[in-house]
Amino acid sequence: MLSDNSFLALRLEGPLQSWGFDSQYNRRNTGLMPTKSAIAGMCCAALGLPRGSEKEQEFLVAFGSLRMTAIAITRNGTKKELPVRRLQDYHTVQNTRRASGAINNDCVLTHRQYLTDAAFGVLLEGDANMLDNIAAALADPVWGVWLGRKTCIPSAPVLAGLKGLRGDALRLLIGDKPLESFTRQEEVENFAEGRDSLPDTPVSFATERRLFSPRRVRTLQAGEYS
């Protein structure tokens, strides 16, 4: 029997990445794994869905049903592995626009974190038609696609491929190596199967009403089995 599900493989590589999930006020941190909200935002940009629009709302409801697995992939430099580090930038900007539309003339100071020399694979599992539309959009995006922030430009095509089988999609990201040899973060169906709850499932990206709901995950280290 044919399945209505497909598996979309995404490749996230670049000199800088930033995956915020607990940023507050002037502290803009990054997690060590891509967040579901960032992947959803990337897909919305590729599809050309205006922020806060009805189409975006419909997409986010459907996107919430997709299961996501993030895989940390080691990058190699000249005959050695490149260590992933967190870089913090002291950022200043003036004449920014508030959510109300008013211009803020004061200088805004923020501390923004980035991951350097990181590479990830992301696997989205769910409705075949939806993932097919996302894959087509990522192949020819309407708006720019970034790795968390506009300063984080991908150094390789984000779209790795769309497959009908999980194993085939994983091979696009990690080759023939076993998944257990990589550190990964898996979204789980049941609360008891998870280890952490992350507030990174987007409900609304509207500027004046950004909302997120919790997502249950488990993070497994390289060499650890499910």
Side-chain angles (χ1 to χ4, degrees):
M1 183 174 65
L2 294 176
S3 172
D4 292 330
N5 279 5
S6 290
F7 299 85
L8 179 62
L10 306 179
R11 182 188 301 107
L12 309 178
E13 296 180 8
L16 292 176
Q17 302 188 32
S18 188
W19 310 108
F21 68 96
D22 65 347
S23 298
Q24 292 290 332
Y25 306 108
N26 293 342
R27 297 282 176 177
R28 308 293 178 86
N29 300 329
T30 179
L32 296 177
M33 286 285 188
T35 59
K36 193 169 186 178
S37 58
I39 301 303
M42 183 184 299
C43 295
C44 285
L47 289 161
L49 303 180
R51 184 185 293 272
S53 66
E54 290 186 12
K55 288 186 177 181
E56 182 192 71
Q57 289 291 305
E58 293 173 1
F59 175 82
L60 292 180
V61 170
F63 192 87
S65 66
L66 301 179
R67 291 185 65 185
M68 174 174 147
T69 299
I71 308 164
I73 300 174
T74 302
R75 293 185 64 189
N76 294 318
T78 54
K79 299 181 181 180
K80 64 178 181 179
E81 293 182 355
L82 297 176
V84 177
R85 295 187 173 93
R86 271 192 273 202
L87 168 72
Q88 183 159 291
D89 176 43
Y90 180 72
H91 190 86
T92 63
V93 63
Q94 198 168 13
N95 298 326
T96 56
R97 188 176 297 276
R98 298 181 184 274
S100 63
I103 299 297
N104 179 16
N105 295 317
D106 296 331
C107 188
V108 179
L109 309 179
T110 58
H111 298 267
R112 303 191 182 200
Q113 289 185 346
Y114 300 88
L115 298 179
T116 64
D117 292 322
F120 300 98
V122 165
L123 196 68
L124 296 176
E125 174 188 354
D127 181 74
N129 289 331
M130 181 178 186
L131 291 179
D132 186 62
N133 290 335
I134 293 174
L138 288 172
D140 185 17
V142 176
W143 297 325
V145 173
W146 323 109
L147 303 181
R149 293 198 185 115
K150 286 186 178 180
T151 52
C152 304
I153 301 173
S155 59
V158 170
L159 177 63
L162 180 66
K163 297 293 184 179
L165 298 176
R166 177 181 172 87
D168 291 341
L170 282 173
R171 272 189 286 275
L172 295 174
L173 300 173
I174 60 176
D176 292 326
K177 295 180 180 179
L179 180 60
E180 291 75 21
S181 63
F182 296 87
T183 297
R184 69 271 186 205
Q185 189 177 80
E186 302 173 344
E187 189 170 343
V188 298
E189 292 184 356
N190 301 317
F191 187 90
E193 296 176 351
R195 299 178 181 177
D196 297 289
S197 295
L198 303 178
D200 71 344
T201 300
V203 176
S204 172
F205 284 139
T207 303
E208 70 284 359
R209 188 176 173 271
R210 290 171 59 85
L211 294 175
F212 303 89
S213 63
R215 178 172 66 107
R216 192 68 173 166
V217 301
R218 60 183 173 192
T219 302
L220 303 170
Q221 302 300 317
E224 185 177 358
Y225 287 80
S226 302

